Amino acid sequence: MTTSADLLELSPVIPVVVLDDAAQAVPLARALLRGGIRVIELTLRTPAALSSIERIAAEVPDIVLGAGTVTAPEHAEQAARAGASFLVTPGTTDRVLDAVEDTGLPFLPGAATVSEAMRLAERGLTALKFFPAEAAGGVDHLKSVGGPLPGLRFCPTGGITVDTAPRYLALPNVGCVGGSWLTPKDALAAGDFDRIEALAKAAAAL
């Protein structure tokens, strides 16, 4: 079974996806796979999110399917029931963390400060999401955190681009980055899945 630590090793980039139309979910997942990206974080930011997760889980079993933007306890159960195989939170409250742990799924809890990261480490959690990465200090922040907290590894997400991703990936405490640039809104709106495949190929090579 995939562990939380394993999530950081699946791909150099985890696509962070917002879908307004569940009909796009399966062709999007297939385009990412063709491009060499075998993991996706589908955010729970739209009414189409849960049905999108259901479709991908049923029709694209080769992709490791995560649900992101888990910000309430009920989100965790809903995402697990829809077929998500891991969960991601932008930040962490006790109630959300308990609900996520109760699903039994691997997860990446969000932390933006040293205190938040230490609190999660106290609960035995060592694979974390760093969000919002650029706004919260970016590469310099993670370099600084690596000294006092060498046992933690991160997936930074938020404001990262194909150009800045290599700077994060070069850090010893970064396993992967989260990026929304792989699935641009205009490409999704146009159904341009060839472009998404090409962006995935470039990201997989980072």
Side-chain angles (χ1 to χ4, degrees):
M1 179 180 170
T2 302
T3 67
S4 296
D6 293 336
L7 297 174
L8 301 183
E9 309 298 334
L10 293 172
S11 170
V13 181
I14 296 179
V16 180
V17 180
V18 180
L19 284 181
D20 294 307
D21 182 357
Q24 297 172 331
V26 169
L28 167 64
R30 288 176 174 157
L32 292 171
L33 272 179
R34 289 195 303 271
I37 299 289
R38 60 190 191 97
V39 60
I40 182 172
E41 177 191 330
L42 207 154
T43 62
L44 302 179
R45 298 182 190 179
T46 68
L50 288 173
S51 56
S52 296
I53 290 171
E54 289 173 351
R55 293 189 187 196
I56 294 172
E59 299 184 47
V60 196
D62 291 337
I63 203 161
V64 181
L65 172 59
T69 319
V70 175
T71 58
E74 60 269 22
H75 291 166
E77 183 183 347
Q78 290 165 352
R81 198 183 314 123
S85 54
F86 70 93
L87 304 173
V88 185
T89 73
T92 317
T93 65
D94 288 330
R95 289 181 65 231
V96 168
L97 189 56
D98 288 343
V100 168
E101 288 184 323
D102 284 347
T103 68
L105 295 176
F107 62 96
L108 297 175
T113 67
V114 173
S115 293
E116 290 168 355
M118 288 174 62
R119 184 169 162 273
L120 291 167
E122 283 182 353
R123 291 186 65 152
L125 304 171
T126 58
L128 313 180
K129 172 174 178 168
F130 173 50
F131 176 84
E134 286 288 283
V139 169
D140 289 340
H141 176 93
L142 288 172
K143 280 183 182 175
S144 299
V145 168
L149 302 174
L152 301 183
R153 298 189 78 219
F154 296 88
C155 173
T157 303
I160 298 173
T161 68
V162 67
D163 296 317
T164 59
R167 296 179 58 226
Y168 284 93
L169 293 169
L171 298 176
N173 59 345
V174 170
C176 62
V177 301
S180 59
W181 79 83
L182 285 79
T183 56
K185 275 190 174 295
D186 59 341
L188 285 170
D192 189 353
F193 296 106
D194 288 341
R195 179 180 168 202
I196 289 171
E197 179 183 344
L199 290 168
K201 285 180 178 174
L206 288 174

